Amino acid sequence: MMERQQVIDTAEKYYLPVFGRQQLVLDHGRGAHVWDKDGREYIDFLAGIAVNSLGYAHPAQVRAIAEQAGKLCHCSNIFYTEIQAKAAELVCQVSGMDRVFFANSGAEANEGALKLARKYGTGKSPDKFRIITAKMSFHGRTMATLTATGQPHYQEGYAPLPGGYEYVPYGDIAALEKLMDGNVCAVLLEPIQGEGGVHVPSYDYLSKVRELCDKFDAILIFDEIQTGVGRTGAWFEYMNAGVKPDVLTFAKGIGGGFPVGGFAVPEKLARVFKPGDHGGTFGGNALAMASVYATLSTIKEEDLVAQAREKGVYFKGKLEDLALKYPEKIREVRGRGLILGVETTKPAAPILQMCLDQGVIVNVTVGNVVRLVPPLVVTKADIDKAVLALDNAFAKF
Ligand SMILES: *Cc1c(COP(=O)(O)O)cnc(C)c1O
């Protein structure tokens, strides 16, 4: 068994140094709580970045993965498995879509959606390839998805980038309207921007984007990789907005910690890809599907979507109280359900460390937004503890 420092040293020696990591070696968890190698307990308001919907080691998920692993982890997609069929049906049910494709990550989910949009557009006219995304968006780190990501620093050093991508300020319908024409094949947006700092647009904006896409026969892709699977108090945020996309991408929370992503479409787009046009060795893997099925069934059984909504209102209210208490330190509280952001007036890194010292894991995105994306199973008592830790941190900040 390695000591804590030995783990860090070994990882630092052998792993590519692409991550800025906390000096924390996590070992095991239960619900929204996680323990490090020295037995120190933390309440986790990051949840693997909005991934661990059921928290850690939920018995239903553990059982489903173990049982599936004992039967068959993987077989090629040239065969059927019962668990993949069941997971596909359940994802369609909860997403309000008709067909699904499974991949292994968020980036891959968006890659598939962008390919589908290109196929759709160029099938109508060779010039219908333009893809519009938002500034401050985040869509992944593959070549196409980092190009779709409207933050130049993710793109630096990777030129030449795939062509045909253009960017508009998020929430600005006039800017989008100016760029729209018949050669746009897709508009790709997060219905709430996550990595970009938890920015919530108006529902009116999203519904006008929908109208523009309809007008120009462009595919509206909602990237719900971070907002989806109950986090915003609906199965998917598009349901809160009342604006249905043509393609819905998901990942993070859907596998409850298992790496899985994908996209879903209505029947009218079910045949844009012909057999052989898209695929993947691992996507829809039996072990991943067991985790998806268990995660979604448990969210249903434990009514975690409604709980995310209710706990989100409670949490946001407490954070707004903090904003009133520290008006010179907190600029704004944003978000919906259990994706909340506290924008600070100066770099927020010290908040992260001060919370960690009090046994609460939080995250900072874009430098000055404390992002809070706990497991959906987080309790009000946990929320109270996190708010207290934040209160103590802001007092010293
Ligand atoms: C995390 C994220 C992605 C990328 O997912 P990966 O699994 O890291 O590839 C894409 N879009 C959004 C909105 C995300 O939050």
Side-chain angles (χ1 to χ4, degrees):
M1 262 254 284
M2 286 189 191
E3 298 293 324
R4 171 184 170 279
Q5 196 56 46
Q6 204 183 349
V7 173
I8 294 174
D9 293 345
T10 307
E12 286 302 323
K13 181 165 179 217
Y14 291 106
Y15 207 93
L16 272 187
V18 295
F19 300 110
R21 302 206 210 225
Q22 297 299 314
Q23 298 299 296
L24 213 60
V25 180
L26 296 179
D27 186 69
H28 63 279
R30 181 72 42 191
H33 293 229
V34 62
W35 283 262
D36 73 9
K37 232 174 149 31
D38 301 324
R40 194 158 180 240
E41 181 175 352
Y42 298 84
I43 313 175
D44 191 355
F45 279 76
L46 179 58
I49 316 188
V51 165
N52 304 327
S53 345
L54 303 181
Y56 295 90
H58 192 293
Q61 188 189 6
V62 172
R63 201 181 318 115
I65 292 175
E67 276 175 15
Q68 186 60 48
K71 293 203 290 186
L72 164 167
C73 287
H74 176 82
C75 71
S76 167
N77 278 313
I78 68 170
F79 305 109
Y80 297 97
T81 59
E82 179 178 339
I83 191 64
Q84 189 187 76
K86 283 170 65 181
E89 181 181 36
L90 188 51
V91 169
C92 286
Q93 243 174 46
V94 302
S95 68
M97 292 290 184
D98 301 318
R99 300 274 188 157
V100 65
F101 176 85
F102 287 112
N104 310 288
S105 69
E108 248 189 273
N110 284 337
E111 280 276 343
L114 292 166
K115 281 175 70 182
L116 185 141
R118 276 278 168 80
K119 199 96 192 169
Y120 176 85
T122 57
K124 302 213 157 185
S125 145
D127 295 328
K128 194 173 174 64
F129 59 75
R130 298 173 61 214
I131 293 167
I132 301 178
T133 73
K135 293 181 178 166
M136 292 309 288
S137 58
F138 184 80
H139 299 297
R141 292 168 176 280
T142 61
M143 288 301 279
T145 58
L146 71 84
T147 303
T149 293
Q151 302 189 58
H153 73 96
Y154 287 106
Q155 302 169 350
E156 269 157 34
Y158 300 122
L161 301 177
Y165 290 81
E166 294 158 70
Y167 314 92
V168 288
Y170 190 60
D172 182 344
I173 196 67
L176 180 64
E177 194 162 11
K178 222 178 275 170
L179 284 189
M180 289 299 288
D181 67 21
N183 289 335
V184 173
C185 71
V187 174
L188 165 63
L189 291 177
E190 296 154 88
I192 293 175
Q193 287 188 332
E195 303 300 306
V198 191
H199 290 283
V200 185
S202 71
Y203 292 152
D204 183 57
Y205 170 70
L206 296 176
S207 97
K208 288 193 165 125
V209 173
R210 175 71 273 178
E211 283 169 25
L212 284 173
C213 287
D214 288 340
K215 183 171 168 195
F216 293 102
D217 191 19
I219 289 196
L220 177 57
I221 307 169
F222 275 175
D223 175 346
E224 293 232 33
I225 288 164
Q226 194 157 153
T227 50
V229 197
R231 183 153 295 281
T232 65
W235 272 104
F236 287 86
E237 174 58 13
Y238 90 77
M239 296 165 176
N240 276 333
V243 176
K244 195 171 180 181
D246 302 305
V247 181
L248 177 70
T249 67
F250 55 80
K252 293 201 163 84
I254 203 153
F258 206 95
V260 49
F263 60 89
V265 296
E267 196 58 41
K268 65 171 184 184
L269 294 178
R271 287 184 170 74
V272 176
F273 286 142
K274 304 283 176 283
D277 283 350
H278 193 56
T281 301
F282 286 119
N285 165 290
L287 212 46
M289 295 297 100
S291 198
V292 167
Y293 192 79
T295 300
L296 297 181
S297 311
T298 305
I299 290 174
K300 267 173 109 164
E301 275 156 30
E302 298 187 5
D303 203 18
L304 293 176
V305 179
Q307 278 196 41
R309 174 181 295 265
E310 191 215 326
K311 288 184 281 202
V313 169
Y314 177 79
F315 195 5
K316 196 176 184 191
K318 299 252 161 183
L319 295 173
E320 278 162 351
D321 290 344
L322 284 187
L324 290 175
K325 190 168 173 186
Y326 302 105
E328 73 293 354
K329 298 174 183 177
I330 296 176
R331 188 170 286 142
E332 195 180 24
V333 173
R334 296 188 291 265
R336 181 170 291 122
L338 292 175
I339 172 168
L340 297 170
V342 179
E343 184 174 334
T344 54
T345 53
K346 53 184 178 179
I351 297 288
L352 187 158
Q353 191 55 51
M354 287 189 278
C355 285
L356 217 48
D357 293 343
Q358 298 173 82
V360 175
I361 296 175
V362 301
N363 171 249
V364 171
T365 188
V366 294
N368 70 335
V369 178
V370 180
R371 175 174 45 174
L372 303 151
V373 284
L376 308 184
V377 298
V378 72
T379 62
K380 282 191 179 162
D382 289 333
I383 290 173
D384 289 342
K385 283 181 198 156
V387 170
L388 181 62
L390 284 164
D391 194 346
N392 291 332
F394 274 109
K396 285 186 253 163
F397 182 53

